[in-house]
Amino acid sequence: MALPDIVHHQDFLLTLDTSTLPMVENALPGVHIWPLFLDPENGVWVIRARFDPGIVLPKHFHTGTVHFYTTAGSWHYLEYPDQPQTAGCYLYEPGGSVHTFATDADGEGADGFMVINGCNVNFDEDGNFVNIMDAGWIEKMVLEAAKAQGLGVPRYIKPGAEAAYSCD
């Protein structure tokens, strides 16, 4: 079998180093984000996030899968308090899962890398619908927060036939 013809020519690797890129602080209160790959058209968002101690995010339903690798600190789902996720843990979440993310108030917070397919449908503590968080919503929130912080457009990968960075 012969090597296939090149479908998309690539002159350089699309790579990001979060140790040199500014994080977008408080993209959500207490949640600081490095956007890595945002694809609203296909519903895929890849981010690195740092969570402050004492963060409790809304209970949410996943329409797609999530891969979450914890790089530092500790966090857990309120529904699974006996299964904390610590540095080095990889968690797979199937579509249809429901849970509430939290970090301990007296802990160090957490840092992790996530690949999310689909959206989070968020609910308040009484089970009432709050909003839908998807790749397009994340992109909008990150851009607004970065602009407010004077960061300009953060650098992340925009997919497509001519995949490129969001800015150069």
Side-chain angles (χ1 to χ4, degrees):
M1 184 161 134
L3 184 66
D5 290 333
I6 295 174
V7 176
H8 298 291
H9 179 74
Q10 186 175 358
D11 291 325
F12 57 91
L13 295 176
L14 293 169
T15 184
L16 299 166
D17 181 352
T18 60
S19 69
T20 63
L21 293 172
M23 74 175 160
V24 179
E25 296 183 32
N26 294 301
L28 297 171
V31 181
H32 318 290
I33 293 177
W34 290 266
L36 302 174
F37 178 92
L38 301 176
D39 184 356
E41 184 176 343
N42 291 299
V44 178
W45 32 308
V46 180
I47 61 173
R48 175 181 169 202
R50 182 172 295 155
F51 302 90
D52 287 346
I55 291 298
V56 178
L57 298 178
K59 179 178 279 194
H60 56 277
F61 167 85
H62 286 283
T63 63
T65 60
V66 176
H67 302 267
F68 191 141
Y69 181 75
T70 304
T71 58
S74 176
W75 63 276
H76 64 280
Y77 288 128
L78 296 182
E79 297 80 5
Y80 306 95
D82 59 336
Q83 296 180 45
Q85 301 298 300
T86 57
C89 287
Y90 162 74
L91 176 69
Y92 170 75
E93 301 172 12
S97 60
V98 177
H99 40 246
T100 311
F101 178 96
T103 58
D104 293 332
D106 59 352
E108 62 181 292
D111 195 316
F113 171 80
M114 289 160 266
V115 178
I116 303 106
N117 292 282
C119 66
N120 293 2
V121 182
N122 294 318
F123 299 90
D124 67 16
E125 50 280 341
D126 296 321
N128 299 305
F129 172 79
V130 174
N131 67 355
I132 294 176
M133 184 186 308
D134 63 6
W137 188 88
I138 289 292
E139 187 171 36
K140 181 179 183 254
M141 295 304 295
V142 164
L143 292 173
E144 287 177 5
K147 181 179 177 183
Q149 294 167 37
L151 297 176
V153 175
R155 190 171 201 189
Y156 55 93
I157 296 168
K158 295 286 291 180
E162 298 296 324
Y165 295 111
S166 56
C167 63
D168 281 316

